Amino acid sequence: MTVDEAQAMASSKRHLKPIDIIFLVVATVMVVGVLLPAISTPRRPHWSATCKNNLKQFGLAAQVFHSARGRLPGYVQHYGAWRPGQDSAATDSHAAEFASTHAHEKVGTWVVALLPYLDEQPLYERWSLNKFPIAFGTEGPLTEGRAGVGFNSITAATLSLMQCPAATDPTTVAGANHYACNAGMYASLLSPQFERSMSAANGVFNNQFPGLLPNGDAAPRGPEISLDDFADGVSHTLLFTENLQALPWHRAGFIDAEDLILQEGHEHVSYEPTSRYAQGIVWHRESDDPASGLPPVRPIHRINSTLGGRALDELQMTKANAHDLARPSSLHPGGVNITLADGSVRFLSETVDYRVYQSLLAPDDAQSDAPLDGFEPPESRLGW
């Protein structure tokens, strides 16, 4: 055999036949199929641990806030005002931002109140000090879309602490948020029961902003609530939970920057009714007990409920459905993580009895408007 013939034979052996290629492709797919679960599975426990840690931080922050103020914050509060020219100088490093010509009020959420205790003091000062505007500034881009139109992106910062890793909400949304506070019993703003719904027996976080109602009156404010009001005990009262549909943490309801402009002759800007549901959850006066005389519990008000057959992570809160979607929701299988007033973090099953849900949100069952009739939530049914 010549040298050329030997080289040709060796070359032919190196070429793969079609059957060999098919075999290699199938084998590769099988190996990848086996390895992918092993690669992805460890991420879910990490997601859950991160989410629980976020909620733990909220609980600790609320306790420190309570120690400093003797009360808990409201779901919406007034944090000051911005007036052009006040406390600003041409030499200030933020002079470009101060070019705003729109005087506006600073209306924010429970999250703003807790920022100093979440290691976000500089961000809190953006809200609490009158020298900083929160909207209309020219430093950095302004928010749009779900984050509201016209807020300074620097005061609507996207914080990892406000996001559950298991959620699919794009982090490109300014101020993305997956958490909510216990806003108590649902009652329409136009209902005579609205003020009563914010009692210390019915919930924890209430309205602390006397914004104007359509008729010009100030919206009812709830009482200052402390941990001493929790007659059922801090280990049986919910403070925070997850909600995939919650609005960005800085947005007190469906407001835009223009809604913060104070009208001439008015003391306050308007109260946005959806501020109660934007980063809050509520319980409804409903019961599955026919003897209660109340309407049955609507499925949409239960944990991880959805509307119109839409996937939970595709559903978005609107002005029309906000009061219905103000309930716990998450992408953790089977339920949601919650923070109790004692600072502990628990997992609450989506199959929990609605009476248990009402009881967890009402700090004083005996005095609340929940249709419980002395109902005592057994530990075994809570799952912890």
Side-chain angles (χ1 to χ4, degrees):
M1 180 183 297
T2 65
V3 174
D4 291 339
E5 290 173 336
Q7 290 178 340
M9 181 177 294
S11 177
S12 66
K13 289 181 178 180
R14 286 196 297 267
H15 289 298
L16 293 176
K17 297 179 181 179
I19 188 65
D20 296 327
I21 295 175
I22 294 174
F23 175 79
L24 286 174
V25 170
V26 171
T28 301
V29 171
M30 292 177 65
V31 171
V32 170
V34 171
L35 290 178
L36 273 180
I39 295 172
S40 60
T41 299
R43 296 180 64 189
R44 289 195 179 276
H46 170 70
W47 288 345
S48 181
T50 300
C51 181
K52 288 180 178 179
N53 182 66
N54 292 345
L55 285 161
K56 183 73 172 179
Q57 296 307 308
F58 301 151
L60 292 174
Q63 290 179 342
V64 177
F65 181 99
H66 182 273
S67 296
R69 311 288 183 90
R71 61 176 177 83
L72 292 167
Y75 60 74
V76 59
Q77 294 187 178
H78 188 252
Y79 291 96
W82 160 251
R83 301 291 180 264
Q86 67 177 22
D87 298 330
S88 63
T91 57
D92 197 296
S93 60
H94 301 286
E97 181 185 0
F98 296 163
S100 166
T101 57
H102 296 288
H104 58 272
E105 302 298 295
K106 296 183 176 185
V107 182
T109 68
W110 62 269
V111 181
V112 176
L114 297 186
L115 285 175
Y117 314 108
L118 296 171
D119 201 24
E120 293 290 347
Q121 180 66 28
L123 182 56
Y124 176 70
E125 290 178 356
R126 286 275 174 168
W127 284 83
S128 61
L129 300 182
N130 286 341
K131 69 176 292 183
F132 295 111
I134 64 170
F136 305 113
T138 56
E139 182 184 65
L142 299 180
T143 61
E144 59 185 11
R146 191 178 178 195
V149 178
F151 293 96
N152 291 343
S153 58
I154 195 170
T155 56
T158 299
L159 307 174
S160 59
L161 185 68
M162 300 307 304
Q163 300 174 65
C164 172
T168 56
D169 190 37
T171 55
T172 53
V173 175
N177 171 42
H178 305 129
Y179 299 105
C181 67
N182 172 3
M185 184 181 86
Y186 165 74
S188 167
L189 179 63
L190 302 179
S191 165
Q193 300 299 319
F194 180 75
E195 187 169 7
R196 180 174 175 174
S197 73
M198 296 186 292
S199 74
N202 282 323
V204 177
F205 298 82
N206 53 38
N207 176 42
Q208 289 296 321
F209 173 59
L212 297 182
L213 300 177
N215 63 3
D217 293 340
R221 296 176 63 179
E224 292 188 353
I225 294 178
S226 74
L227 296 178
D228 293 335
D229 294 313
F230 296 179
D232 296 340
V234 291
S235 62
H236 286 86
T237 304
L238 184 151
L239 289 186
F240 307 106
T241 184
E242 303 173 81
N243 187 349
L244 292 176
Q245 283 71 50
L247 290 187
W249 64 264
H250 64 278
R251 196 178 183 193
F254 285 88
I255 61 172
D256 296 316
E258 289 190 354
D259 297 315
L260 300 178
I261 298 177
L262 190 65
Q263 301 299 315
E264 186 175 353
H266 288 177
E267 239 182 280
H268 295 289
V269 296
S270 296
Y271 172 83
E272 172 52 56
T274 57
S275 62
R276 190 174 197 176
Y277 321 118
Q279 299 89 13
I281 61 167
V282 296
W283 58 270
H284 293 253
R285 288 205 81 233
E286 298 171 344
S287 175
D288 289 329
D289 180 5
S292 68
L294 296 171
V297 181
R298 293 186 61 203
I300 187 56
H301 297 153
R302 298 182 187 274
I303 297 171
N304 284 340
S305 57
T306 187
L307 283 168
R310 299 185 64 183
L312 188 59
D313 57 335
E314 295 178 356
L315 191 62
Q316 287 209 352
M317 184 178 288
T318 67
K319 282 189 174 184
N321 66 25
H323 64 288
D324 285 328
L325 296 187
R327 80 284 177 261
S329 65
S330 81
L331 291 184
H332 302 299
V336 296
N337 292 312
I338 64 172
T339 306
L340 298 173
D342 64 359
S344 64
V345 176
R346 306 291 187 180
F347 188 79
L348 184 63
S349 171
E350 62 189 23
T351 61
V352 69
D353 190 300
Y354 199 71
R355 291 175 300 171
V356 174
Y357 174 72
Q358 291 169 326
S359 178
L360 284 171
L361 268 63
D364 186 350
D365 289 346
Q367 301 299 320
S368 76
D369 291 289
L372 300 174
D373 295 328
F375 173 73
E376 294 284 343
E379 295 286 338
S380 60
R381 298 183 69 176
L382 288 172
W384 57 76

